C-alpha cells in the first residue's frame, strides 16, 4: 500500500523478475513485485481466462482499439478487427521503425510466448555474452534455468505420427532435402498434456488454437513455475495493474518508488509512493530501458552512465511464408507450439523456427520465424519535446536479417521448385520486417552495469532482465535471460552491493 517499505522491490514479473523474487525470498528477503499488467487468474464470461488466436477479443491486446496480429493478412486481405480498449495480454508497442511485441501481466512474456526453451549452442556463447564465464553457465545456470522452467522435448515417435505436426514434418523433410540440419526445439509446454489433447481426454489448448493471447492449459508459464514457488515462501507480494513511473534516492537511504494503479481501461485510479532498500529493474528490455533513460535524463537518477539506452537489438527476427507444392500439404490440424527449427547459423547467420499457421484449414503454406545474426544495434533516447523515450531502429536495417534468412529459404525454394507467399503480411509483401518478439539490450551487462547487473552510479539498483543482453542470443531468448538472472542474483545475494 501507499507509504509502505520493502526490503526489495522488483519492477516486472517476467523471467528476470520471477527469478529475482524467488531467490531473494529464499534468502529471507521480503519482496514486493510490481506489475503493470493484469493477474490473469480470473475467467471471463466464457469461463476461460484467455481467448484464442483465431477469436481475439477484449483480452487480446494492451490498450488498443484494433488487433495488431503479427500475421495480419490472409490471401491479401487484412484480418485485424476492432476490440474494446482493455489492459489485454499482448502489447504491440510501436516505435518509429519497429513494433515490439511483449507480454503484459503476472508472468510477463511467458504468458504470450510459444514456450520454445532453447539453450544456445555452447560455441556461440561468447558471441552472446562475451564477459560471462561459459563453464559456469553451461555447468550450473543453464541447467538450473531449464529445471526451474520445466523444459521438455516432444516425444519423437508421437511427432512422427500425429496429424498435428504434419507442418513440422514437411519442414524437416524440406530442410533435409536442401542439406540443412533440422533440430528439435525444447518447449515448456507439457508434452504429455498435448498427447492427451490429441486423445480427446482433456480440454484443448495447443491443439485448440491457443497461443499469443495466452494458453488456458498445458503451457508451463511462469504462473506455473517460478511465481508460485516465490509466493510459497510467504515473503513475496505481487501488485498487478500497478505501473512504476519513478525511482529516485530516498532522503533517509534506499529508494523512493512511485507508481500508478490502473483500471482495466488503462486510466490511473490512484498514485502511490513506497520505499525500498533495493530495486530490481525487470520490466523487460524495452520497459527497463525506457524507465532508466527517462530517469537519467530527467534528473531522478542522473548518475546512470551513457551506456544506459544503448545496445538494443531485435534478435534478428524475420518472418516469412513459403507456398508448398499441392502434393505437400501442411495440414488443417496444426499445434500452436513449434517444436523444430532449421539451423544454418554458422554458414548463413540464420536459425529458423518452423512455425504453425493454425487456421483450421489447409493453406499449403510453411511459416517460419527466423532468428538472424543481424548486426544492427539501436539506442533509446529521451525526447523532451514529446516527453517520450524514442528508439532509433530503422526498418531498412532488417535487410541484413532478410539476406541471412534467404540463405535458408532461397535454397529450399530452389530445391522444391516453390515460391514465397506474398499474401501473409500485406499486399504482395514477402518478408515481415516490421516487428520483433525478442527485444534484447538497452542496459547491457558490463557496460550500463557491472558484470552482475549492478547499475553503475547507484548502490542497490539492479537490472535483471533481457535489457542486460546485447541484442542477440542466436536462438529464442528466455532460457538465456533466466539463466543469466540465476547467475546474477546468486552473486548479488552472496556479495551484496
Ligand atoms: P518480460 O517482458 O517477460 O517481463 C517484463 C514485465 O514487466 C512485463 O510483465 C511487463 O508488463 C512489466 N512491466 C514493464 N514495465 C513496467 C512498469 N513500468 N511497471 C510495472 N511493470 C512493468 N522467447 C523464447 O525464448 N521462446 C519463445 O517461444 C518465445 N516466443 C515469443 C512469442 C511472443 C509473441 C513474444 C511477445 C515473445 C516471445 N519470446 C519467446 C520472448 C520472451 O517472451 C521474452 O524474451 C521474455 O519474456 C523477456 O523476459 P524479461 O524478463 O526480460 O521481460
Amino acid at each position: 500500500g501507499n507509504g509502505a517499505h520493502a526490503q526489495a522491490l522488483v519492477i516486472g514479473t517476467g523471467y528476470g523478475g520471477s527469478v529475482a523474487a524467488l531467490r531473494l525470498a529464499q534468502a529471507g528477503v521480503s519482496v514486493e513485485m510490481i506489475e503493470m499488467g493484469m493477474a490473469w487468474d480470473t475467467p471471463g464470461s466464457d469461463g476461460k481466462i484467455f481467448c484464442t488466436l483465431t477469436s481475439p477479443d477484449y483480452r487480446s491486446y494492451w490498450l488498443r482499439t484494433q488487433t495488431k496480429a503479427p500475421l495480419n493478412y490472409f490471401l491479401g486481405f487484412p484480418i485485424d478487427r476492432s476490440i474494446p480498449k482493455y489492459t489485454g495480454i499482448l502489447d504491440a508497442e510501436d516505435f518509429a521503425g519497429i513494433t515490439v511485441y511483449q507480454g503484459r501481466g503476472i508472468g510477463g512474456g511467458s504468458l504470450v510466448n510459444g514456450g520454445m526453451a532453447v539453450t544456445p549452442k555452447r560455441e556461440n556463447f561468447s558471441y552472446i555474452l562475451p564477459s560471462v564465464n561459459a563453464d559456469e553457465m553451461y555447468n550450473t545456470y543453464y541447467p538450473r534455468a531449464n529445471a526451474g522452467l520445466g523444459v521438455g522435448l516432444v516425444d519423437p515417435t508421437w511427432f512422427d505420427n500425429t496429424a498435428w505436426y504434419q507442418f513440422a514434418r514437411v519442414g524437416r523433410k524440406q530442410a533435409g532435402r536442401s542439406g540443412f540440419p533440422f533440430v528439435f526445439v525444447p518447449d515448456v509446454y507439457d508434452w504429455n498434456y498435448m498427447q492427451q489433447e490429441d486423445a480427446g481426454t482433456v480440454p484443448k489448448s495447443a491443439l485448440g488454437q491457443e497461443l499469443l493471447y495466452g494458453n488456458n492449459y498445458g503451457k508451463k508459464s511462469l504462473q506455473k513455475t517460478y511465481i508460485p514457488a516465490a509466493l510459497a515462501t510467504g515473503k513475496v507480494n505481487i501488485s498487478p495493474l500497478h505501473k512504476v513511473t519513478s525511482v529516485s534516492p530516498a532522503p533517509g537511504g534506499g529508494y523512493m518508488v512511485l507508481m500508478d494503479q490502473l483500471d482495466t481501461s488503462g486510466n490511473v485510479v490512484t498514485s502511490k509512493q513506497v520505499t525500498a532498500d533495493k530495486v530490481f529493474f525487470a520490466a523487460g528490455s524495452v520497459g527497463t530501458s525506457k524507465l532508466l533513460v527517462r530517469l537519467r535524463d530527467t534528473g531522478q537518477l542522473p548518475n546512470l552512465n551513457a551506456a544506459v539506452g544503448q545496445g538494443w537489438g531485435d534478435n534478428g527476427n524475420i518472418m516469412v511464408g513459403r507456398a508448398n507444392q499441392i502434393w505437400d500439404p501442411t495440414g488443417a490440424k496444426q499445434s500452436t507450439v513449434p517444436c523444430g527449427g532449421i539451423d544454418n547459423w554458422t554458414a548463413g547467420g540464420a536459425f529458423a523456427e518452423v512455425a504453425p499457421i493454425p487456421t483450421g484449414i489447409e493453406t499449403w503454406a510453411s511459416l517460419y520465424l527466423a532468428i538472424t545474426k543481424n548486426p544492427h544495434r539501436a539506442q533509446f533516447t529521451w525526447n523532451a519535446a514529446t516527453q517520450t523515450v524514442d528508439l532509433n531502429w530503422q526498418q531498412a536495417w532488417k535487410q541484413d536479417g532478410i539476406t541471412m534468412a534467404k540463405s535458408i529459404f532461397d535454397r529450399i525454394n530452389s530445391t522444391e521448385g516453390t515460391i514465397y507467399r506474398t499474401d501473409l503480411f500485406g499486399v504482395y509483401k514477402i518478408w515481415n520486417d516490421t516487428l520483433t518478439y525478442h527485444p534484447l539490450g538497452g542496459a547491457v551487462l558490463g557496460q550500463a552495469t557491472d558484470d552482475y547487473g549492478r547499475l553503475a552510479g547507484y548502490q542497490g539498483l539492479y537490472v535483471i532482465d533481457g535489457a542486460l543482453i546485447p541484442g542477440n542470443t542466436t536462438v529464442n531468448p528466455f532460457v538465456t535471460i533466466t539463466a543469466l538472472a540465476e547467475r546474477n542474483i546468486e552473486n548479488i545475494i552472496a556479495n551484496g552491493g
Side-chain angles (χ1 to χ4, degrees):
N2 194 26
H5 177 80
Q7 286 184 295
L9 184 140
V10 177
I11 307 170
T13 57
Y15 294 93
S18 298
V19 169
L22 172 63
R23 301 307 176 198
L24 287 164
Q26 287 175 333
V29 178
S30 67
V31 182
E32 282 293 327
M33 298 184 85
I34 310 298
E35 170 55 53
M36 68 192 269
M38 300 188 22
W40 300 110
D41 57 0
T42 311
S45 56
D46 59 355
K48 299 279 174 98
I49 293 175
F50 306 112
C51 64
T52 64
L53 183 62
T54 40
S55 300
D57 62 21
Y58 66 100
R59 293 167 285 199
S60 56
Y61 282 87
W62 178 259
L63 303 179
R64 274 187 178 271
T65 53
Q66 202 183 24
T67 63
K68 185 153 178 158
L71 213 78
N72 54 340
Y73 276 73
F74 194 67
L75 303 171
F77 291 99
I79 58 171
D80 281 315
R81 56 168 83 172
S82 292
I83 44 168
K85 192 176 165 198
Y86 188 76
T87 47
I89 198 162
L90 184 63
D91 193 353
E93 186 172 0
D94 291 321
F95 292 96
I98 194 164
T99 300
V100 184
Y101 284 83
Q102 297 152 90
R104 295 280 174 248
I106 296 179
S110 79
L111 294 166
V112 298
N113 69 32
M116 282 176 276
V118 195
T119 299
K121 278 188 179 165
R122 182 163 177 158
E123 70 225 47
N124 294 330
F125 188 75
S126 66
Y127 163 79
I128 302 167
L129 286 163
S131 67
V132 173
N133 182 322
D135 282 340
E136 286 180 5
M137 290 296 284
Y138 285 82
N139 294 337
T140 304
Y141 303 110
Y142 275 118
R144 188 175 295 172
N146 276 281
L149 294 165
V151 176
L153 209 55
V154 65
D155 171 354
T157 309
W158 183 70
F159 173 86
D160 278 340
N161 293 293
T162 179
W164 298 98
Y165 280 113
Q166 185 179 326
F167 75 95
R169 293 195 298 272
V170 168
R172 177 175 66 180
K173 177 180 73 180
Q174 294 177 340
R177 286 205 292 227
S178 284
F180 295 115
F182 175 93
V183 293
F184 281 111
V185 169
D187 204 281
V188 298
Y189 200 88
D190 182 338
W191 294 104
N192 289 327
Y193 188 88
M194 200 188 293
Q195 290 195 32
Q196 290 172 270
E197 292 177 53
D198 186 20
T201 54
V202 295
K204 285 186 170 51
S205 185
L207 307 190
Q209 302 178 318
E210 290 183 357
L211 194 82
L212 212 58
Y213 310 128
N215 285 80
N216 287 295
Y217 318 95
K219 190 167 76 174
K220 286 172 277 177
S221 72
L222 292 167
Q223 286 190 333
K224 306 270 172 63
T225 57
Y226 276 91
I227 290 172
L231 291 171
T233 64
K235 309 233 22 136
V236 177
N237 182 54
I238 311 181
S239 300
L241 286 174
H242 282 66
K243 182 177 183 178
V244 170
T245 57
S246 176
V247 177
S248 58
Y255 293 90
M256 186 168 77
V257 181
L258 304 183
M259 61 193 81
D260 288 337
Q261 183 174 355
L262 309 176
D263 67 18
T264 56
S265 303
N267 304 308
V268 177
V269 178
T270 178
S271 295
K272 296 179 184 173
Q273 175 183 323
V274 304
T275 53
D277 300 334
K278 296 175 187 297
V279 177
F280 291 81
F281 288 84
S285 159
V286 172
T288 290
S289 303
K290 283 198 313 186
L291 267 173
L292 291 176
V293 164
R294 180 166 57 76
L295 295 174
R296 180 190 61 200
D297 295 349
T298 59
Q300 282 97 322
L301 295 175
N303 301 339
L304 293 176
N305 71 24
V308 167
Q310 300 204 37
W312 186 87
D314 69 341
N315 209 25
N317 279 190
I318 288 289
M319 278 166 87
V320 69
R322 291 180 37 263
N324 288 308
Q325 302 284 8
I326 199 91
W327 56 84
D328 259 343
T330 45
K333 289 180 166 183
Q334 301 199 6
S335 169
T336 59
V337 171
C339 68
I342 303 169
D343 185 3
N344 194 34
W345 187 263
T346 306
F351 177 78
E353 308 291 4
V354 178
I357 308 185
T359 55
I361 57 166
E362 178 58 55
T363 63
W364 283 276
S366 287
L367 179 70
Y368 308 90
L369 172 66
I371 294 162
T372 67
K373 203 174 182 177
N374 190 322
H376 291 285
R377 296 295 177 264
Q379 182 175 0
F380 293 93
T381 51
W382 173 243
N383 184 332
T386 56
Q387 298 281 297
T388 54
V389 177
D390 296 339
L391 178 66
N392 71 351
W393 181 271
Q394 295 171 39
Q395 192 178 331
W397 292 353
K398 287 274 194 185
Q399 186 55 50
D400 295 72
I402 291 173
T403 302
M404 293 169 188
K406 282 163 73 83
S407 77
I408 296 176
F409 303 116
D410 277 3
R411 197 197 299 175
I412 290 179
N413 274 339
S414 144
T415 306
E416 304 295 329
T418 53
I419 56 171
Y420 290 106
R421 288 287 284 240
T422 58
D423 61 334
L424 300 176
F425 308 113
V427 180
Y428 208 82
K429 185 167 170 57
I430 292 175
W431 304 95
N432 188 334
D433 55 1
T434 60
L435 67 78
T436 186
Y437 285 173
H438 300 163
L440 291 165
V444 168
L445 190 80
Q447 297 177 24
T449 73
D450 78 350
D451 215 18
Y452 293 90
R454 297 177 184 88
L455 269 162
Y458 292 94
Q459 192 161 18
L461 294 187
Y462 312 87
V463 175
I464 191 148
D465 60 14
L468 290 171
I469 298 173
N472 204 301
T473 54
T474 73
V475 292
N476 315 63
F478 76 63
V479 175
T480 296
I481 294 170
T482 306
L484 185 66
E486 288 281 18
R487 166 190 178 270
N488 292 354
I489 198 69
E490 188 176 272
N491 183 282
I492 289 164
I493 289 168
N495 302 323

